[in-house]
Structure formats: structure tokens, C-alpha cells
Amino acid sequence: MTAGTEAPTLGLTHQASEDTGLGHRGPQSKSIVVPYGFWLFVLSDMVLFSALFASYASLVHATDGGPTTSQLFDRKLVAVETMALLISSFVCGLAMITAKRKNMVWTQVWLVMTGLLGLVFLGIELHEFSTMIAEGAGPQRSAFLSSFFTLVGCHGAHVTAGLLWLGTMMAQIWNKGFQEHIMRRLLCFSVFWHALDIIWVAIFTIVYLIGTLP
Amino acid sequence: MFGRLTWDAIPFHEPIPLITSLVVLLAAGAIGIWVWRKGYAPYLWHEYITSTDHKKIGIMYIVMALVMLVRGWADAIMMRAQQSLAIGASQGYLPPEHYNQIFSAHGTIMIFFVAMPFVIGFMNFVVPLQLGVRDVAFPTLNNVSFWLNASGALLINLSLFIGEFSRAGWLGFPPLSEKAFSPGVGVDYYLVALQISGVGTVLTGVNFVTTILKIRAPGMSYLRMPVFCWTALASNLLVIAAFPVLTVVLAELMLDRYLGFHFFTNDGGGNSMLYMNLIWVWGHPEVYILVLPAFGIYSEVAATFSGKPLFGYRSMVFATLAICLISFMVWLHHFFTMGAGGDINAVFGIASMIIGIPTGVKIYNWLFTMYGGRVRFNVPVYWLIGFMLTFVIGGLTGVLLAIPPVDFVVHNSLFLVAHFHQVIIGGVVFALMAGYTYWFPKAFGFTLDERIGKWIFWCWFIGFHLAFMPLYVLGFWGATRRMQHIPDATWAPWLNVAFVGAAIIGVGIALTVVQLLYSIKTRDQRMDVTGDPWDGRTLEWLTLSPPPHYNFAVLPDVHGEEAYWTRKQTAIKQDQLIDEPDYQPIEMPVNTPTGVIVAFFAALCGFAIIWYIWWLAILGLIGAFAIFVWYAWRDEHEHIIPVEEVRHNARERRRIRMEHLHNLSQSV
Amino acid sequence: MTELDPEKLNVAPGVPHDSMLSETVSYVVGLGLALVLTGVSFWVASTGTLWGPGVATGLVVLAIAQMGVHLVFFLHITSGPDNTNNVLALAFGVLIVLLVMIGTIFIMAHMNSNMMPDPTQMNLQMQH
């Protein structure tokens, strides 16, 4: 299927052996190996967030007499953030479609939109953080706030890193075109970006919605 | 300008670190100058430092591990000396502030910078060869991983010269490790070094799982892989699963220390028990990350030197995966006494006992492999048998500790210390020494001297037992771990025996160096001409020693378990090699300085963070990002090895193997 | 390749498809489902219609559904020549995530109830 035109991994220049019946044909091509390795990395990142969630869950009530979830979180802002990130994921998918068809203009358009929506998300989040800090509800106030800022902030840091990566990818595509290795990296970026949206689903559900239930 | 870094950071008033620093600097300087004058620097740069070859990277890991072993042992002998001297009225020669740094450094170095790199080094060198392929899935990433690990080691070593090390043990428990109780740079060195090397390790985990699942020789299905590759897979799955948790918990402690957060502080709602929980979520899988590949090494050694296939291959695979899974369900046994209550303690206690079962299955399988075989008592077999005797006892004390009421008596006593040293030394270290002897000829083309090898074994075996058996007794008598001063003079004879044991281990380590130098000097007497000095069973023995950069001229077709053995027996029976294949040019990844440069910036950034030199930290981050982008822009990823070179090397190998075949048939 | 092909639209989501339209459809459907599920989550959290204690569970279920939508429609987890390994890796990741989160919450809840000092003692300790 895809193996025919892809560059083989590491000089697999060997004639195909007889099929063993176990379906194993030798080292797989880079177009499979690279995204798989990146997928494993994304899963390790999920474990990272699970430890942050576990910390959050353990410390959510440790408010030290300070502000609690209900007093701090604004669901309307969260809804806007959620929309921004979700639509950002969607247009990232559109960018993958146009990139596959080597359409430079539309790919860059969709990627710019992905980045802009990501910036909107970050902007709202930074606004939320700075407001909380100004009100005296910064991460140094209590263990609950420490864990909140770390969990949500870590997600924001991942989004920031993703935007840096996105900028680099856009420059690379512009400069080098839709070569195989560039496409592989773009695929990895889109996997990363979608994964961040999955983490956000967990965050807004657990931290902002369940956290502020009456 | 320089944060909190001042001239006071250099230990002018502390003789031991000062003298050590001077000696190390002089030795490193001397070696550096010697390398430079002899013209070895370009060779080292091209052949090792920028290499993306898994074999070279594996060797670098192991060299780093052996060097750090010396420092780890030095810490150990200092502790033993202190405990022998500081009895009754005497305070020994190490005040508590120093003693505490030494036991913290000893544990940190031994786990993170000796055992881990040694194990990872073996997986690097051996796995692609055993899978019958040319390299790992991500060779450049492999190089980066090594150098990030080395950056961590560098920072730990710098703490001896500039500043101090942590006094909070190898796991840095709060509240002691919090800013309020450890305001100095020690804990920061610890945290930053482990975070940097931890990134390298996670990347290694991703690399090897991808390699083992996606890059194998044609015909090598999962159940035809050597057991060492199965154990490497299980170990790297655990790396991917566990190291992110370590990253989180150390980062949370860093946030507490640097930004005044309250994760684990006494005030503000912090909960230091959360740290214990999370750090052991990582810590328990970590020891299985170390021991599973060790079990894999024993499987290879047992089969090869018994001249028989490994007994119970499928049960070995199953046991390995069972251990991998259960190891993620037992972590609370490290803090039974913290107060979770009887119900939870029972759950984890039972799980901890269950994990002994698949381990037992493995022991039986090794025994049955040797039974009925014609065992050749080369040095690796000494280590194998030593392991079986030592590790089983260690495992039994482990099952004992898994019973919560027993653990309440001996938790954090010398009994515990003896247990974990027994399983780590008997299990992991003995395997590493066996693997070192076993695979050394493959890496360098000649075997190590056997006679000295046996002396090294006896030093470790006798030394270990002298050093740690007394500790079991002392543990029952109430001696806790990490004691700078010994309150009970009746303990003295036992501690003195332990000191002698540690010294004998030191002789073993020194002999390892002697063995290496002597073996190099007399290597002509022990050249590995055929590439198969041990009559091996797995594919790494198909190549010459050392293998060419690309490992195999043509990837071998695998038709069954023990791919190489069956191929060899067929060749012997037919008195000819397989037909000469059709050679093709081979694409291999290019060398890259990315790894060493990224690691340099990481170390710079890390050092700056430790000393609060913020402008330098930002510079380091920018540098690392810049080199990353520069790397991403390159167009040349691979170079081609011309078919003439491939054909020439392959025909040379075939010629040597034919000659060996003829010698075999003539001697029959 | 660009004509509306009714058969292609009937292809199950996630299966490899090479028409631009069906790939786009996959993302549009995914976006639509995600929007609906998100909207329902916010509504469930703010309305009194559901039985109180059930709300949290309902939100978790909705979140898992949303994650599933992302995995299938955006990440095409079920597609590709080697999807078994992808799914297995995901299952392994999910297992570890569950062990870490549930294990920690379970353990810390017991630790806190057994070991945390009561507030009067806590105030005494805090005076330093």
C-alpha cells in the first residue's frame, strides 16, 4: 500500500524473502516508524499529565483557607478557550488535507489559522492567570493553586511549544516544499496538536466543570 | 551577574572534596592533553562523539557508567569507613553535613549514572544486532539521548567542585528537600541533573520500543526474537510509563523551591506524602527497568554456555511481560509505614509477593537450561551462577519485606539496605559484568583475559557477601540506614567485616581496569577472528568482530527461533555457507554534532538555573532551540556506502567463515 | 477524486480514504460531534435537571466520548496499515494513566484520612 514509494528505513535494500506466513516483512518504512515513535512520545506525555492530574486531585481541597475553585473559575472564558482550541484542531486537520495535495497557499492559510486560534487560547489563559495572581490567588497562595497553575500551565506551556514548532514548520514548508521528511514532521505536529486538545477536554471537564459543581 | 555563585562555592576549606577535585581535574587534564597530542581528537569526534551508530553510543554509555562506578564506590568505602570509626565517643572523620551528601550522592550516582547507563549501553549495542537490523529507529535521537544523560552526570560531578550536593538522600524526600530545610544548591543540583538526564532516558525508551516493534529482520516475528530483546522491550515500555512521573514530581519540587509553590511544603496545604507516592510510582518500575534486561543477559549467557536452547522460551516471554505489568502495581510497598492503613497495605503487599512468581519461573528456566547441557565454565557463567545464589536470597528477603507487619519492623533499617543491594548487585551488577565479558569481543575484536576475569568475580562475590550479610543482622538489631554515628559498640565487629567486604569489591573494580589494560596489551593472543568466540546462538554472532558500521551486508532471513544457531548448524552439516546474496549499496545516517551541542546548552542552562544566573539560563535555552532548528534544516540525512565496500567486507567475512567451517570439519 | 461519490460517504469513519471530500467530511463530522458533546458538557454542569451526584459521572462519560471523537476523527487511530500497534500502544498508555491516577487518589485519600493532623494541631505546628 504505502510501502512502494516510501524511502526504506536505514538501507533496507534486500530482496524480499519468502513470506513466513507470520506477515513479517522486515524493517518498516519511515512513514510508519516515525509517526509511531512520535505516538509513543505523545503517550508518555499523557502519563506526564496523568501525574499532574493525580497531584491536582490530591490537592484540590488543600486551599489553606484561601480561594476555592468556585470562587475563581469563569466558565464563560473556559467555553471560549475550548472553542478556540477545538476549531484550531479542526483547521489543523484541513491543513493536513491540503498539504497532502501539495497546495502551498491553502496549507499556509490553515496553518496560520491554527496558530492564531492557539494564540487566542493562550491569550485568554494568560489573562486568567494574571487576573488570579493580581487577586492574590497566585500559585504561592495554597497547594490547590500550586497544582492548578502547574496542571493548566503545563498544558499552556505545551501549547506554546507547539506554536513555536508550528512557526518552524511553516517556515520549513515554505522554504523546502512538501518533501517526505517535512510531511512526516507535519504529521507529527498534527498528532501533537490533536493530543493537546484531548488533554484540554480532560482539563476543562475535571478542573473547570466538575470542580465548580454546586 | 552570577546569581548566587561566588568564590565561596569552591570547597577550599574541605579537604576531601578539594583534593578529589584537584586530582580529577589533573587526571582529566592529563588525559585530554594526551589525547590531543596523540592526534586522537578527530578520531574521537568522528568515530564516537558525533556517531549515530548504536554500537558506538552503547560503548560510550558503558564507559561513562564504569567511570561513575569508581565515584559511587568511593562514596561507599567512605561511608563504611565512617561507620567503622564513629562508634561511641568518636565522631569519625565525616561530620553529618558531609556524610549526608555522601550517601545521597552514592545512591543517585549508582542508580542514575552507573546502573541505568550500563543497562542502556547494552541495549544500545546488542538489540539492533540481535534483531538483525542496521540501527535503531531514531539514530540521531539516540545520540542526543546519550549526551543528555552525560550532561546530567557532568552536573552531578560539578557539585563536588562547585557548591555542594543534596543531603536529602537519593530520592530527595520533602520537607527536608524543600527550600526551608535545604536552602543551598545541593538539592537543586540533584533535581536539575536528573531532569536533564531523564529527558534523555524517555527518548531512549521511545527509540527502543519503536525499534523492537517496527524494525526487525525479515521473518523475525515477535516469538522469534531473542529473550534479551523481549526484556529490552519490557524495560523500555516501563521507561515510557514511569519516567514522565519522575519528571512531574521533580518538577513540582523544583516549583516549590524556585517559585514558592506549595506542593510538598509543610504550610500552605502542601502534602509531602504526595511526593512519596509519586516518586515511588516511578521508583519501583525503575528497579525493574534495571533488572529485566539483566534477566535477559542471563538468558543469553545460560543458553550459549550450556550449548542448549533456552528452556521455556514462551514462559520466559510471558513471565517478562507479567513482571513488566505487575511492577506498576506494587509501589506502595516502599512506604507501608507511612499510614495508608491495613487495607491498602494488604493489596500492595499481596501484589508484591505475586511478582516473585514470574521471577521464580525465570530462575527455574535458567536452571533447566543448564541441566542436561554441556556447561562451559567461562567467566560469564561464573556471574550467572553467582547471580542465582545471590539474587534468590535477595528475592526471598524481598518477599519477607512485602509482608507489611514485617516491614513495620525493618523498614529503613540496614536489613532493607542489605536487601536492595543484594538484588541490585546480585541481579543487575553481576549481569552487567557477565554481559561485559560476553559482548566485549563483539565490540572490540578480542576477548578479555579469563584468569583476571575470574578474580574479579570472586572479589565481587566474596566482597558482596562480606559487605552485606552483616547488615541483615544489624538491621534486625535495630540499626537504621544512613547513620553517621553508631550508638552501639557491639555492632562494631559486624561493621568492620562490612568494611572489609567493601574494600574487596574495590579490589574487584581495580582489577577490572587492570584486566582491560592487560587484555588490550596482550590482545594478539585472544583475537576474535571468526566473530563467534563463544559458539553463540543469536544474530550478533553472525557478524565479524567488530561489525561493520552497517552491521549486516544483507539483512538475514529469519526462519525460526535461534536464527543464527539453525543457520550455523545447516552450514556445518552442508559444509558450505548460504548462497552469496545480491549486494546493494547501503544508506546509513550521517554523524551529527547536534547531540553534544544540545547537551552542552542543556548543561549550561542547568548550571545557570542551579546558581540563579537567569540570563545564562535563557541563553542556554535559546541555544538549544537554535541548534535544534539548525539540525531540522539540514538536507543531508544519509550517506551511501558503496556496493564495492559492502561486497568486499562481506566476502572477507565469508572467507573467514569458510575457513572456520573447514577447521571444524577437519577436527571432527 | 473530487466528485461527490455516494459510496465513499458510506465508508466507516477512520478507514483509509483518499478522496479529499471524505477526508474533509471526517474532520467536519468530528468537529460537529465534539461541539455537540462540549455543549452538552457545559449544559449538564450548569443545569439542575440531572440528579446531583450523577452529574460528575455524566461529565466524565462525556469527556471520554469527546476524547474518542478526537482519536477517531482527528487522529485516525483506526486507519493505516499498522493500526494494531497504535491501538495497543494507546491501550498501554491508558492503562498507565488509570493506574497512576486511580492509584494515587486511592492512596492519598487513605493517607489523608489516617495521617493528616486535625486543624487544632495544625495551627500549633504552623507557628514558626
Side-chain angles (χ1 to χ4, degrees), chain C:
Chain C
M1 190 152 79
T2 51
E3 341 57 79
L4 203 77
D5 185 348
E7 270 168 77
K8 284 276 168 63
L9 285 177
N10 288 334
V11 165
V15 167
H17 34 239
D18 48 16
S19 134
M20 188 166 186
L21 183 66
S22 65
E23 279 186 45
T24 317
V25 163
S26 168
Y27 282 105
V28 169
V29 170
L31 176 67
L33 283 175
L35 283 168
V36 166
L37 287 168
T38 308
V40 171
S41 296
F42 274 82
W43 175 77
V44 162
S46 50
T47 186
T49 316
L50 263 65
W51 173 58
V55 171
T57 315
L59 285 172
V60 169
V61 168
L62 284 166
I64 293 175
Q66 281 190 68
M67 294 187 200
V69 165
H70 274 83
L71 284 169
V72 171
F73 291 97
F74 290 175
L75 282 168
H76 308 294
I77 273 297
T78 58
S79 72
D82 271 280
N83 52 13
T84 317
N85 274 356
N86 295 342
V87 172
L88 278 176
L90 177 65
F92 178 73
V94 167
L95 172 69
I96 301 297
V97 164
L98 289 175
L99 280 171
V100 170
M101 284 183 55
I102 295 177
T104 300
I105 293 171
F106 191 45
I107 290 170
M108 291 312 295
H110 277 73
M111 289 286 183
N112 286 343
S113 75
N114 288 344
M115 299 303 292
M116 279 307 233
D118 69 61
T120 50
Q121 281 192 312
M122 186 94 89
N123 285 334
L124 284 172
Q125 284 173 352
M126 285 309 122
Q127 282 151 30
H128 60 258

Side-chain angles (χ1 to χ4, degrees), chain A residues 68-102:
Chain A
T68 64
T69 55
S70 316
Q71 294 164 344
L72 290 169
F73 299 153
D74 178 354
R75 286 188 185 177
K76 286 197 253 331
L77 271 183
V78 172
V80 177
E81 282 177 291
T82 307
M83 286 304 116
L85 211 57
L86 179 58
I87 299 174
S88 178
S89 250
F90 172 70
V91 295
C92 181
L94 295 180
M96 291 305 295
I97 293 176
T98 56
K100 197 158 136 183
R101 284 150 185 85
K102 306 204 193 299

Side-chain angles (χ1 to χ4, degrees), chain B residues 26 397 434 493 638:
Chain B
L26 282 169
T397 57
E638 274 125 14

